[in-house]
Amino acid sequence: MQHLWFESALLAEGWALDVRIELAGATIQSIETGVPAKRGDAKHGVALPGLCNVHSHGFQRGMAGLSERRGRPDDDFWSWREVMYRFLDRLTPEDVAAITAQAYVEMLETGFTRVGEFHYLHNDVDGGRYADPAETACAIVAAAEASGIGLTLLPVFYAHGDFGGAPAVPGQRRFLSDMDGFAKLVEASRAKLPADAILGIAPHSLRAVTPEELAAILPLADGPIHIHAAEQAREVEACVAWSGARPVEWLLENADVDRRWCLIHSTHLTDAECDRLAASGAVAGLCPVTEANLGDGIFPAIRYLE
Ligand SMILES: [Zn+2]
């Protein structure tokens, strides 16, 4: 048996002092509090339970640095996205597996023990289907298994380039599915998952999914539902022009948002949206590194928590 001893630890019942944890392999066997360390214990300061990283696009680890340099004065999310599309012109499933494994190892090193992989890179470099619809999902599974991180796979449905079912642009060809193809992709992905993995579903955003498609894809998996919402001011304006409502407002009114949901970013909220989102039980999936990197804005965290 291996023993760990901590000056303090956050346990299910709250913070505790002088905590001794007995391990059997990778499993916690017992926890004692208010006890001194014994000879041979590995002694540490503070212990926290493993954290979940709610939002990853693992392949993007490979483009770190490509857009983080001074460019045009009007560079923003949308010019970053152009860099991302060019990067995708050459990425193979083997590349995805290697890059994603590196990202997952780095997550483990910083305390994340499970990752929500918002997985939207489904097609080959020309936009064609792989023979196995779960080809790139297998790359994600391989990365999770190689690194040891827990996986919540969130296959992304992405069918359009903008609100109202606008056609996709060429840079989006690796993401696109139709309804029938996506159902097959979800089933093929389910068959490849390790036993401790969770399968959710991810309509990419209200830009990429029509209301009819949104309703149709949600029953394909019974895990969490993740969607990008209100990351960009321009996105909010376009959503209002399309529907008369802001993205989070639209979802709250039309999509039965509850604890199963995670609204990624949720940066641009009115006070009313913030209050209703908090009351819904949904998670606001903040990505502070991304939001700082792209200058997106700041989530009203204090109001949401209060
Ligand atoms: Zn994202």
Side-chain angles (χ1 to χ4, degrees):
M1 290 286 181
Q2 186 188 359
H3 291 88
L4 305 173
W5 183 89
F6 298 92
E7 291 172 21
S8 59
L10 181 58
L11 305 178
E13 53 275 14
W15 283 99
L17 297 176
D18 301 325
V19 178
R20 190 163 187 262
I21 296 177
E22 182 177 75
L23 299 177
T27 304
I28 293 176
Q29 199 72 15
S30 66
I31 301 176
E32 294 174 281
T33 60
V35 296
K38 292 186 181 163
R39 187 196 298 266
D41 289 1
K43 292 196 277 187
H44 299 282
V46 179
L48 294 172
L51 298 172
C52 298
N53 180 346
V54 295
H55 195 64
S56 163
H57 311 292
F59 75 86
Q60 289 182 11
R61 177 63 183 86
M63 55 176 287
L66 294 184
S67 70
E68 284 79 7
R69 55 193 168 79
R70 184 183 291 262
R72 299 195 321 259
D74 58 344
D75 270 351
D76 58 6
F77 167 82
W78 307 100
S79 54
W80 170 88
R81 195 174 72 160
E82 286 305 315
V83 174
M84 190 257 284
Y85 288 171
R86 289 202 299 276
F87 175 70
L88 289 178
D89 279 350
R90 62 204 71 180
L91 219 58
T92 66
E94 294 74 25
D95 296 332
V96 172
I99 294 168
T100 305
Q102 178 184 343
Y104 289 173
V105 166
E106 290 170 345
M107 288 177 202
L108 285 162
E109 286 175 342
T110 48
F112 294 104
T113 52
R114 176 169 286 272
V115 59
E117 182 64 36
F118 196 103
H119 175 53
Y120 62 89
L121 186 62
H122 302 311
N123 303 325
D124 69 23
V125 289
D126 300 318
R129 304 275 184 271
Y130 289 107
D132 176 358
E135 178 83 22
T136 57
C138 287
I140 303 298
V141 169
E145 292 189 320
S147 64
I149 202 165
L151 177 64
T152 295
L153 184 68
L154 302 157
V156 171
F157 182 77
Y158 199 130
H160 307 286
D162 214 333
F163 292 98
V169 300
Q172 295 162 338
R173 65 188 177 279
R174 299 200 69 177
F175 317 150
L176 302 176
S177 302
D178 55 27
M179 293 296 302
D180 186 45
F182 185 68
K184 291 187 176 119
L185 189 156
V186 171
E187 282 321 299
S189 301
R190 188 194 306 274
K192 303 289 171 39
L193 289 180
D196 66 345
I198 296 168
L199 183 68
I201 209 89
H204 176 274
S205 59
L206 291 177
R207 297 195 305 271
V209 180
T210 65
E212 297 73 27
E213 289 161 346
L214 179 65
I217 62 169
L218 295 185
L220 293 176
D222 56 9
I225 302 164
H226 287 220
I227 185 169
H228 292 125
E231 179 180 12
Q232 302 295 326
R234 189 169 116 190
E235 168 203 346
V236 175
E237 289 161 15
C239 190
V240 170
W242 162 65
S243 69
R246 303 161 60 85
V248 172
E249 181 184 17
W250 191 95
L251 286 166
L252 288 165
E253 281 170 11
N254 294 284
D256 291 329
V257 172
D258 60 13
R259 299 181 64 80
R260 204 182 149 199
W261 286 73
C262 179
L263 274 57
I264 302 300
H265 299 299
S266 300
T267 304
H268 299 284
L269 301 181
T270 62
D271 287 352
E273 285 177 302
C274 183
D275 295 349
R276 288 180 64 195
L277 181 62
S280 75
V283 172
L286 309 188
C287 307
V289 175
T290 296
E291 285 135 15
N293 186 320
L294 296 171
D296 289 340
I298 296 173
F299 174 76
I302 293 172
R303 186 178 184 98
Y304 176 83
L305 290 172
E306 285 174 346

PDB file of all heavy atoms in Angstrom, residues 100-118:
ATOM      1  N   THR A 100      -3.151  15.494 -29.654  1.00  0.00           N
ATOM      2  CA  THR A 100      -4.133  15.423 -28.568  1.00  0.00           C
ATOM      3  C   THR A 100      -3.541  14.724 -27.345  1.00  0.00           C
ATOM      4  O   THR A 100      -3.790  15.135 -26.208  1.00  0.00           O
ATOM      5  CB  THR A 100      -5.411  14.718 -29.052  1.00  0.00           C
ATOM      6  OG1 THR A 100      -5.898  15.398 -30.210  1.00  0.00           O
ATOM      7  CG2 THR A 100      -6.486  14.717 -27.988  1.00  0.00           C
ATOM      8  N   ALA A 101      -2.740  13.679 -27.580  1.00  0.00           N
ATOM      9  CA  ALA A 101      -2.096  13.006 -26.441  1.00  0.00           C
ATOM     10  C   ALA A 101      -1.196  13.989 -25.691  1.00  0.00           C
ATOM     11  O   ALA A 101      -1.171  14.000 -24.455  1.00  0.00           O
ATOM     12  CB  ALA A 101      -1.303  11.795 -26.923  1.00  0.00           C
ATOM     13  N   GLN A 102      -0.464  14.809 -26.433  1.00  0.00           N
ATOM     14  CA  GLN A 102       0.377  15.806 -25.759  1.00  0.00           C
ATOM     15  C   GLN A 102      -0.485  16.760 -24.920  1.00  0.00           C
ATOM     16  O   GLN A 102      -0.173  17.055 -23.759  1.00  0.00           O
ATOM     17  CB  GLN A 102       1.180  16.619 -26.771  1.00  0.00           C
ATOM     18  CG  GLN A 102       2.032  17.688 -26.087  1.00  0.00           C
ATOM     19  CD  GLN A 102       2.776  18.583 -27.059  1.00  0.00           C
ATOM     20  OE1 GLN A 102       2.922  18.253 -28.229  1.00  0.00           O
ATOM     21  NE2 GLN A 102       3.253  19.712 -26.565  1.00  0.00           N
ATOM     22  N   ALA A 103      -1.585  17.218 -25.513  1.00  0.00           N
ATOM     23  CA  ALA A 103      -2.469  18.134 -24.773  1.00  0.00           C
ATOM     24  C   ALA A 103      -3.003  17.457 -23.505  1.00  0.00           C
ATOM     25  O   ALA A 103      -3.054  18.076 -22.430  1.00  0.00           O
ATOM     26  CB  ALA A 103      -3.626  18.572 -25.666  1.00  0.00           C
ATOM     27  N   TYR A 104      -3.378  16.185 -23.604  1.00  0.00           N
ATOM     28  CA  TYR A 104      -3.960  15.493 -22.447  1.00  0.00           C
ATOM     29  C   TYR A 104      -2.906  15.266 -21.352  1.00  0.00           C
ATOM     30  O   TYR A 104      -3.210  15.364 -20.156  1.00  0.00           O
ATOM     31  CB  TYR A 104      -4.583  14.166 -22.874  1.00  0.00           C
ATOM     32  CG  TYR A 104      -5.858  14.306 -23.697  1.00  0.00           C
ATOM     33  CD1 TYR A 104      -6.453  13.194 -24.275  1.00  0.00           C
ATOM     34  CD2 TYR A 104      -6.462  15.551 -23.889  1.00  0.00           C
ATOM     35  CE1 TYR A 104      -7.625  13.310 -25.024  1.00  0.00           C
ATOM     36  CE2 TYR A 104      -7.614  15.671 -24.653  1.00  0.00           C
ATOM     37  CZ  TYR A 104      -8.196  14.546 -25.210  1.00  0.00           C
ATOM     38  OH  TYR A 104      -9.351  14.660 -25.950  1.00  0.00           O
ATOM     39  N   VAL A 105      -1.680  14.950 -21.761  1.00  0.00           N
ATOM     40  CA  VAL A 105      -0.618  14.797 -20.762  1.00  0.00           C
ATOM     41  C   VAL A 105      -0.413  16.126 -20.021  1.00  0.00           C
ATOM     42  O   VAL A 105      -0.285  16.159 -18.791  1.00  0.00           O
ATOM     43  CB  VAL A 105       0.688  14.325 -21.432  1.00  0.00           C
ATOM     44  CG1 VAL A 105       1.875  14.488 -20.488  1.00  0.00           C
ATOM     45  CG2 VAL A 105       0.561  12.868 -21.869  1.00  0.00           C
ATOM     46  N   GLU A 106      -0.436  17.211 -20.768  1.00  0.00           N
ATOM     47  CA  GLU A 106      -0.266  18.526 -20.125  1.00  0.00           C
ATOM     48  C   GLU A 106      -1.435  18.837 -19.189  1.00  0.00           C
ATOM     49  O   GLU A 106      -1.261  19.439 -18.129  1.00  0.00           O
ATOM     50  CB  GLU A 106      -0.101  19.611 -21.192  1.00  0.00           C
ATOM     51  CG  GLU A 106       1.233  19.494 -21.912  1.00  0.00           C
ATOM     52  CD  GLU A 106       1.349  20.391 -23.131  1.00  0.00           C
ATOM     53  OE1 GLU A 106       0.322  20.908 -23.621  1.00  0.00           O
ATOM     54  OE2 GLU A 106       2.480  20.559 -23.607  1.00  0.00           O
ATOM     55  N   MET A 107      -2.644  18.402 -19.582  1.00  0.00           N
ATOM     56  CA  MET A 107      -3.794  18.600 -18.673  1.00  0.00           C
ATOM     57  C   MET A 107      -3.586  17.814 -17.380  1.00  0.00           C
ATOM     58  O   MET A 107      -3.814  18.337 -16.280  1.00  0.00           O
ATOM     59  CB  MET A 107      -5.083  18.138 -19.362  1.00  0.00           C
ATOM     60  CG  MET A 107      -5.552  19.063 -20.462  1.00  0.00           C
ATOM     61  SD  MET A 107      -7.037  18.386 -21.266  1.00  0.00           S
ATOM     62  CE  MET A 107      -6.948  19.227 -22.840  1.00  0.00           C
ATOM     63  N   LEU A 108      -3.168  16.564 -17.510  1.00  0.00           N
ATOM     64  CA  LEU A 108      -2.933  15.743 -16.308  1.00  0.00           C
ATOM     65  C   LEU A 108      -1.869  16.382 -15.410  1.00  0.00           C
ATOM     66  O   LEU A 108      -2.002  16.402 -14.189  1.00  0.00           O
ATOM     67  CB  LEU A 108      -2.508  14.335 -16.711  1.00  0.00           C
ATOM     68  CG  LEU A 108      -3.647  13.452 -17.247  1.00  0.00           C
ATOM     69  CD1 LEU A 108      -3.094  12.274 -18.023  1.00  0.00           C
ATOM     70  CD2 LEU A 108      -4.542  12.968 -16.115  1.00  0.00           C
ATOM     71  N   GLU A 109      -0.830  16.921 -16.041  1.00  0.00           N
ATOM     72  CA  GLU A 109       0.243  17.543 -15.251  1.00  0.00           C
ATOM     73  C   GLU A 109      -0.262  18.749 -14.461  1.00  0.00           C
ATOM     74  O   GLU A 109       0.318  19.098 -13.436  1.00  0.00           O
ATOM     75  CB  GLU A 109       1.380  17.986 -16.181  1.00  0.00           C
ATOM     76  CG  GLU A 109       2.222  16.832 -16.694  1.00  0.00           C
ATOM     77  CD  GLU A 109       3.258  17.280 -17.710  1.00  0.00           C
ATOM     78  OE1 GLU A 109       3.123  18.394 -18.275  1.00  0.00           O
ATOM     79  OE2 GLU A 109       4.183  16.521 -17.945  1.00  0.00           O
ATOM     80  N   THR A 110      -1.329  19.398 -14.957  1.00  0.00           N
ATOM     81  CA  THR A 110      -1.832  20.579 -14.260  1.00  0.00           C
ATOM     82  C   THR A 110      -3.090  20.276 -13.442  1.00  0.00           C
ATOM     83  O   THR A 110      -3.767  21.188 -12.991  1.00  0.00           O
ATOM     84  CB  THR A 110      -2.108  21.719 -15.257  1.00  0.00           C
ATOM     85  OG1 THR A 110      -2.854  21.213 -16.355  1.00  0.00           O
ATOM     86  CG2 THR A 110      -0.805  22.298 -15.769  1.00  0.00           C
ATOM     87  N   GLY A 111      -3.427  18.996 -13.247  1.00  0.00           N
ATOM     88  CA  GLY A 111      -4.473  18.649 -12.295  1.00  0.00           C
ATOM     89  C   GLY A 111      -5.816  18.275 -12.893  1.00  0.00           C
ATOM     90  O   GLY A 111      -6.764  18.009 -12.164  1.00  0.00           O
ATOM     91  N   PHE A 112      -5.918  18.274 -14.220  1.00  0.00           N
ATOM     92  CA  PHE A 112      -7.178  17.848 -14.845  1.00  0.00           C
ATOM     93  C   PHE A 112      -7.151  16.335 -15.033  1.00  0.00           C
ATOM     94  O   PHE A 112      -6.207  15.802 -15.608  1.00  0.00           O
ATOM     95  CB  PHE A 112      -7.375  18.524 -16.201  1.00  0.00           C
ATOM     96  CG  PHE A 112      -7.578  20.003 -16.114  1.00  0.00           C
ATOM     97  CD1 PHE A 112      -6.560  20.886 -16.453  1.00  0.00           C
ATOM     98  CD2 PHE A 112      -8.778  20.520 -15.670  1.00  0.00           C
ATOM     99  CE1 PHE A 112      -6.742  22.258 -16.363  1.00  0.00           C
ATOM    100  CE2 PHE A 112      -8.976  21.885 -15.572  1.00  0.00           C
ATOM    101  CZ  PHE A 112      -7.956  22.757 -15.917  1.00  0.00           C
ATOM    102  N   THR A 113      -8.196  15.655 -14.564  1.00  0.00           N
ATOM    103  CA  THR A 113      -8.222  14.199 -14.666  1.00  0.00           C
ATOM    104  C   THR A 113      -9.305  13.699 -15.634  1.00  0.00           C
ATOM    105  O   THR A 113      -9.398  12.501 -15.887  1.00  0.00           O
ATOM    106  CB  THR A 113      -8.443  13.558 -13.292  1.00  0.00           C
ATOM    107  OG1 THR A 113      -9.593  14.154 -12.694  1.00  0.00           O
ATOM    108  CG2 THR A 113      -7.227  13.777 -12.406  1.00  0.00           C
ATOM    109  N   ARG A 114     -10.129  14.604 -16.136  1.00  0.00           N
ATOM    110  CA  ARG A 114     -11.120  14.233 -17.169  1.00  0.00           C
ATOM    111  C   ARG A 114     -11.227  15.406 -18.126  1.00  0.00           C
ATOM    112  O   ARG A 114     -11.097  16.558 -17.725  1.00  0.00           O
ATOM    113  CB  ARG A 114     -12.487  13.917 -16.558  1.00  0.00           C
ATOM    114  CG  ARG A 114     -13.573  13.621 -17.602  1.00  0.00           C
ATOM    115  CD  ARG A 114     -14.830  13.043 -16.971  1.00  0.00           C
ATOM    116  NE  ARG A 114     -14.651  11.663 -16.564  1.00  0.00           N
ATOM    117  CZ  ARG A 114     -14.865  10.596 -17.359  1.00  0.00           C
ATOM    118  NH1 ARG A 114     -15.295  10.744 -18.594  1.00  0.00           N
ATOM    119  NH2 ARG A 114     -14.676   9.392 -16.905  1.00  0.00           N
ATOM    120  N   VAL A 115     -11.464  15.077 -19.393  1.00  0.00           N
ATOM    121  CA  VAL A 115     -11.572  16.122 -20.410  1.00  0.00           C
ATOM    122  C   VAL A 115     -12.861  15.944 -21.187  1.00  0.00           C
ATOM    123  O   VAL A 115     -13.251  14.826 -21.518  1.00  0.00           O
ATOM    124  CB  VAL A 115     -10.348  16.095 -21.358  1.00  0.00           C
ATOM    125  CG1 VAL A 115     -10.207  14.743 -22.053  1.00  0.00           C
ATOM    126  CG2 VAL A 115     -10.416  17.215 -22.382  1.00  0.00           C
ATOM    127  N   GLY A 116     -13.541  17.056 -21.446  1.00  0.00           N
ATOM    128  CA  GLY A 116     -14.669  17.061 -22.364  1.00  0.00           C
ATOM    129  C   GLY A 116     -14.141  17.433 -23.748  1.00  0.00           C
ATOM    130  O   GLY A 116     -13.775  18.581 -23.987  1.00  0.00           O
ATOM    131  N   GLU A 117     -14.052  16.448 -24.613  1.00  0.00           N
ATOM    132  CA  GLU A 117     -13.492  16.707 -25.952  1.00  0.00           C
ATOM    133  C   GLU A 117     -14.616  17.069 -26.909  1.00  0.00           C
ATOM    134  O   GLU A 117     -15.413  16.228 -27.320  1.00  0.00           O
ATOM    135  CB  GLU A 117     -12.710  15.498 -26.452  1.00  0.00           C
ATOM    136  CG  GLU A 117     -12.052  15.705 -27.819  1.00  0.00           C
ATOM    137  CD  GLU A 117     -10.987  16.800 -27.816  1.00  0.00           C
ATOM    138  OE1 GLU A 117     -10.263  16.961 -26.813  1.00  0.00           O
ATOM    139  OE2 GLU A 117     -10.871  17.506 -28.850  1.00  0.00           O
ATOM    140  N   PHE A 118     -14.676  18.332 -27.240  1.00  0.00           N
ATOM    141  CA  PHE A 118     -15.681  18.891 -28.153  1.00  0.00           C
ATOM    142  C   PHE A 118     -15.147  18.631 -29.560  1.00  0.00           C
ATOM    143  O   PHE A 118     -14.425  19.423 -30.137  1.00  0.00           O
ATOM    144  CB  PHE A 118     -15.788  20.386 -27.846  1.00  0.00           C
ATOM    145  CG  PHE A 118     -16.994  21.100 -28.368  1.00  0.00           C
ATOM    146  CD1 PHE A 118     -18.044  21.419 -27.515  1.00  0.00           C
ATOM    147  CD2 PHE A 118     -17.071  21.526 -29.684  1.00  0.00           C
ATOM    148  CE1 PHE A 118     -19.139  22.144 -27.971  1.00  0.00           C
ATOM    149  CE2 PHE A 118     -18.163  22.234 -30.149  1.00  0.00           C
ATOM    150  CZ  PHE A 118     -19.202  22.551 -29.284  1.00  0.00           C
TER     151      PHE A 118
END
